[in-house]
Amino acid sequence: MRVLHFYKTYKPDTMGGVQELISQICSGAALRGVTSEVLTVSHDTSTVDFEDHVHHRAKMDVEIASSGFSLSAFGRFREHAEQADLIHYHFPWPFADVVHFATRLHKPTIVTYHSDIVRQKVLLQFYKPLRNRFLASVDKIVATSPNYLATSEVLQRYRDKVEVIPIGLDETSYAAPTAEELQYWRERAGPKFFLFVGNLRYYKGLHILLDALQGTEFRAVIIGSGPVERELRAQAERLKLNNVDFVGPVGDDDKIALLTLCHALTFPSHLRSEAFGISLLEAAMFGKAMISTEIGTGTSYVNVDRETGLVVPPNDPGAFREAMGKLWNDELLAAKLGQKARERFEAKFTASKMVDAYVDLYRRLVHPEATASVR
């Protein structure tokens, strides 16, 4: 079986939750006899050969509202889609909807629905008719958590064709940190600290975390870079915070070392643009307690309040500070929640479980007769 993934960006051009999801599916599916290719748009048009899948890149012509457009992508999509048994789209990316209808290929199709469109409210009004037609035309829609399915008005419109497949991680891809790396970060971060991992974007709620840190003894390490980094650093300076360390983007080895050493993970995202939270999964995999906010998305599916961590209202620095205090001052509570987080990861969020579900869905769509006969 051959599957073509179509999304706006992928490794090595960008690194993020959707890109990691696609990578995990491609690599896991390869072990199950499924050949995967990824097509994106990029300023770099060279092909990237990974060990078990290929990344093709069509030339990006223009980018509007964080969405790339490419004239050559129409031809490239048709070329690769004709060789595929199934097309796997990743939403949201309005350009994919246009290509889908323009090429008129009759192939089984699924869409992994990563997030509602939250910020571009004006453009959304123009896009809605195309979005609705696109989602109505595909064979299956995958939601990444039952929470998001339950709270998304868009997904509820297509409830009969939606399946839930939670995101999973492959623990074997996380190499153990060296003693030197652990020692370096132990000396830099101190013996006890909260950790944040992610892109520094508007919906991540880091301004709330900084407000929560003011006047406390808590120490926080922030991994990542992004559009609001300058504003956040200015806020930290204005609040005279000497207990926060912006370490910028780091390699996987350093991230793993910090996940190993941290007391707990903070995840202050306050808008529905945060649909799941890969770093929450990583924290759970490392057996760490988590603090997140209730935004009606998959974050509260990964982090269950008072079971794997603490969940507080969004946009509330005081509530976030109180939750941090509970974990900071109660080592036994933090350890207990971390243990439960690890158990929940093993039960629900391994890459193996996720890939099995996707490959099963692929086969049901590509070979419906065989699937029906087995049942």
Side-chain angles (χ1 to χ4, degrees), residues 6 12 16 73 79 89 195 220 271 276 279 295 305-306 319 348 354:
F6 192 40
E79 171 192 348
Y89 296 105
L195 183 66
L271 297 173
F276 197 84
S279 64
I295 50 178
D305 187 32
R306 291 177 290 182
K348 294 181 177 293
M354 175 185 72

Side-chain angles (χ1 to χ4, degrees), residues 27-38:
S27 295
L31 299 175
R32 294 158 174 81
V34 177
T35 300
S36 301
E37 297 187 357
V38 182

Side-chain angles (χ1 to χ4, degrees), residues 252-266:
D252 287 342
D253 291 345
D254 291 310
K255 181 180 76 170
I256 292 168
L258 285 164
L259 281 165
T260 301
L261 294 171
C262 74
H263 183 65
L265 186 93
T266 59

Side-chain angles (χ1 to χ4, degrees), residues 106-215:
H106 299 289
K107 301 275 185 174
T109 50
I110 74 169
V111 173
T112 296
Y113 191 97
H114 294 280
S115 172
D116 294 332
I117 295 176
V118 177
R119 199 177 196 188
Q120 292 89 6
K121 296 186 183 300
V122 175
L123 292 175
L124 177 60
Q125 299 310 309
F126 295 97
Y127 169 53
K128 268 185 180 179
L130 176 61
R131 178 202 67 189
N132 294 343
R133 186 183 169 206
F134 173 65
L135 293 175
S137 72
V138 299
D139 295 306
K140 285 288 184 179
I141 301 171
V142 174
T144 56
S145 72
N147 300 46
Y148 214 92
L149 171 58
T151 59
S152 169
E153 293 182 6
V154 177
L155 287 178
Q156 285 300 314
R157 291 178 56 133
Y158 307 99
R159 180 66 183 85
D160 291 344
K161 66 166 67 176
V162 176
E163 295 192 14
V164 175
I165 302 178
I167 296 173
L169 294 179
D170 178 8
E171 188 172 7
T172 64
S173 65
Y174 290 74
T178 66
E180 291 77 16
E181 288 162 346
L182 291 172
Q183 183 62 25
Y184 170 81
W185 286 110
R186 194 177 283 114
E187 292 177 357
R188 176 168 174 176
K192 189 176 183 181
F193 62 92
F194 289 105
L195 183 66
F196 170 87
V197 182
N199 292 317
L200 309 189
R201 298 185 178 277
Y202 70 96
Y203 60 86
K204 292 291 185 178
L206 282 160
H207 59 289
I208 300 164
L209 173 61
L210 295 182
D211 282 341
L213 287 168
Q214 187 179 24

